[in-house]
Amino acid sequence: MGERHDADGRALTALPAVHELAAALDAPRALAVAAARRAIAEERDHILAGQPASQRLLDRAGQIAAELQRPSLRRVLNATGVIVHTNLGRAPLPAAARDAVAATAHGYSNLELDLDTGERGSRQTHIEHLLGQLSGAEAALAVNNGAAAVLLAAAALAGPERAIIVSRGQLVEIGGGFRIPEVIAHSGSELIEVGTTNRTSLADYRHALDAVGDRAGAILRVHQSNFRALGFVSDVEIEELCALDVPVIDDVGSGVLIPRIEDEPSLSRSVAAGATLVCCSGDKLLGGPQAGLLVGSSDAVSSARSHPLSRAMRIDKLSLAALEATLSLYRDPQRARREVPVLAMLSSSEEELAARAERIRAAIGSDAAEVVWATAKVGGGALPLLELEGPVVAIDDPRGADTLASALRAGEPPVIARIRESRVLLDPRTLTDEEADLLAAAVRTALP
Ligand SMILES: *Cc1c(COP(=O)(O)O)cnc(C)c1O
């Protein structure tokens, strides 16, 4: 016992001083000191636990220093098959949008300068015309995100002393605590609920309008983005709501700009129906940067634009650059389907997916991997019932699927996968071919 303590004591005194170890590291001073301190503390704990002194204190300190210098926000490989994954940054940007971001980030831009007159301009001019053309609306405005668009629409068309009428079937939570009743409360408007959870009729809206009288600011319709009510249900179509004598805000959610993406509502239908303001996100099915879009009548858009909240929700120049470039692709719908990654992933062919799955399986090159058939979701609160079927790579790991999944997350680049029936599934739908190769290498490293 005494000898053990002596040996430990000697090992402890042999530990270098923090400043000595730090000086041997190739890292900024403060960071090197932090890494050295942590490595020495770890080593001291080892020794006190009776483990042999490590020969590799310098390596370990170097490793810690590298971890401390690694960015917190990193690229990951999305092997979940969930196309619009909110935790993974939603929509990957089209190449044209990435180029526009890089060009705008590089130097100065005409963000708010009219190059013809040399006078101050509006950042909205860069997208307003395009959004108008694509949706059929008179005017348009881009803000920070979809939630901001809805709040701004409610504040601009209603606000204090005025009421917003909403069907009880649409008093929904979108995710991340975005709840329609709370948004309306924060706009300063009074919420008037009509109908029931499963059924709301035009007469319900009419009665509410009669009761509210002059105080009626708007009817708000909210798309059930992340769920569907089935069975004895009915609600009122946008065309019928727009025939009532009150402004209509239509929150369509995912931002569909081309004909028919399953049963998701498009902006142009609501604009054609006569909605006063139509709101959506930029980074769901639209496939662009985080943004909120408002399109509608000139009067309504200018009220939104001049509302004090709009400055607090202002879109930044990099998102604006990505948004303009993404919207430009939609001038040719075929091109948008090819070049907007979200749309391309939605319509990937079975052959393409099978070829990529096989490429991943072959590159992993282990008996543990096989190609099987599975289904995935669109995610991000769009098309909740749609099952995207296709081939995926399934991996068996004797240590268990959770162990493999966490080893994959700890890798470089981190890989995010889904688990089904005790196997890790790697879905080729949300990976490019280049990412498929990186993924296979990451899996080889993570397997025992
Ligand atoms: C997603 C969504 C929002 C919120 O948009 P964010 O861009 O996530 O802020 C609002 N309303 C509906 C119907 C949605 O689907």
Side-chain angles (χ1 to χ4, degrees), residues 64-88:
I64 295 172
E67 279 165 19
L68 291 174
Q69 289 187 86
R70 196 169 60 191
S72 169
L73 181 60
R74 289 189 289 154
R75 179 186 184 190
V76 306
L77 301 180
N78 175 8
T80 64
V82 177
I83 297 175
V84 181
H85 198 309
T86 300
N87 302 150
L88 304 184

Side-chain angles (χ1 to χ4, degrees), residues 90 145-147 174 178 222-223 225 251 253 281 283-284:
R90 288 200 184 159
N145 56 26
I174 299 297
F178 180 80
V222 184
H223 178 52
S225 291
D251 177 13
S281 278
D283 55 354
K284 294 184 183 170

Side-chain angles (χ1 to χ4, degrees), residues 123-137:
R123 65 182 64 209
Q124 302 295 337
T125 55
H126 306 296
I127 50 96
E128 177 162 28
H129 192 62
L130 206 46
L131 253 183
Q133 276 179 351
L134 295 170
S135 66

